[in-house]
Amino acid sequence: QVQLVESGGGLVQAGGSLRLSCAASGRTFSTYTMGWFRQAPGKEREFIAGISWTGNNTYYTNSVKGRFTISRDNAKNTMYLQMNSLKPEDTAVYYCAADKNPIAVVTSPDYWGQGTQVTVSS
């Protein structure tokens, strides 16, 4: 019912910025809570940011709070992750996710994107 495709990843120097996009299909997109996860080599996938279907409420893990900003444009069926002040430890594959349940989106979302690689050099 919902398909997600990430884009915008790449190689950036420490202190730089990247803007990730997640394009969604499906007429029910606007009612879904969405979020971003990342998975670094040898580590478990972690939830880093979430946004309510209205866009009024956002949530961040402490490691990215103040540096990353999640947003969405329901008219364009797109979610964004603006990443500033990037650090080498931010290097990971970044995934977008969506779920009708705002709790489930943090732990086991129903829908996942394919992931986009972000590499931050020192």
Side-chain angles (χ1 to χ4, degrees):
Q1 298 88 348
V2 178
Q3 295 191 29
L4 309 172
V5 180
E6 302 97 334
S7 62
L11 176 65
V12 65
Q13 292 185 345
S17 299
L18 283 175
R19 183 179 176 88
L20 305 184
S21 298
C22 175
S25 63
R27 286 168 288 185
T28 61
F29 166 79
S30 63
T31 68
Y32 279 64
T33 297
M34 301 188 69
W36 289 95
F37 291 73
R38 68 185 182 186
Q39 186 167 20
K43 296 184 178 180
E44 294 185 349
R45 190 172 300 184
E46 64 172 340
F47 171 85
I48 58 171
I51 187 167
S52 62
W53 70 270
T54 63
N56 293 121
N57 297 315
T58 58
Y59 309 90
Y60 301 92
T61 190
N62 288 336
S63 63
V64 307
K65 189 176 296 183
R67 298 189 298 120
F68 292 8
T69 302
I70 189 172
S71 62
R72 67 191 295 167
D73 186 340
N74 289 340
K76 296 182 178 180
N77 291 335
T78 303
M79 178 181 64
Y80 306 95
L81 185 68
Q82 179 67 45
M83 305 185 296
N84 298 326
S85 301
L86 283 163
K87 306 173 181 179
E89 50 263 45
D90 293 319
T91 295
V93 177
Y94 284 71
Y95 301 87
C96 64
D99 202 291
K100 196 78 170 181
N101 189 323
I103 297 176
V105 78
V106 178
T107 57
S108 56
D110 284 341
Y111 305 100
W112 291 94
Q114 83 288 349
T116 185
Q117 177 70 47
V118 172
T119 302
V120 184
S121 62
S122 59

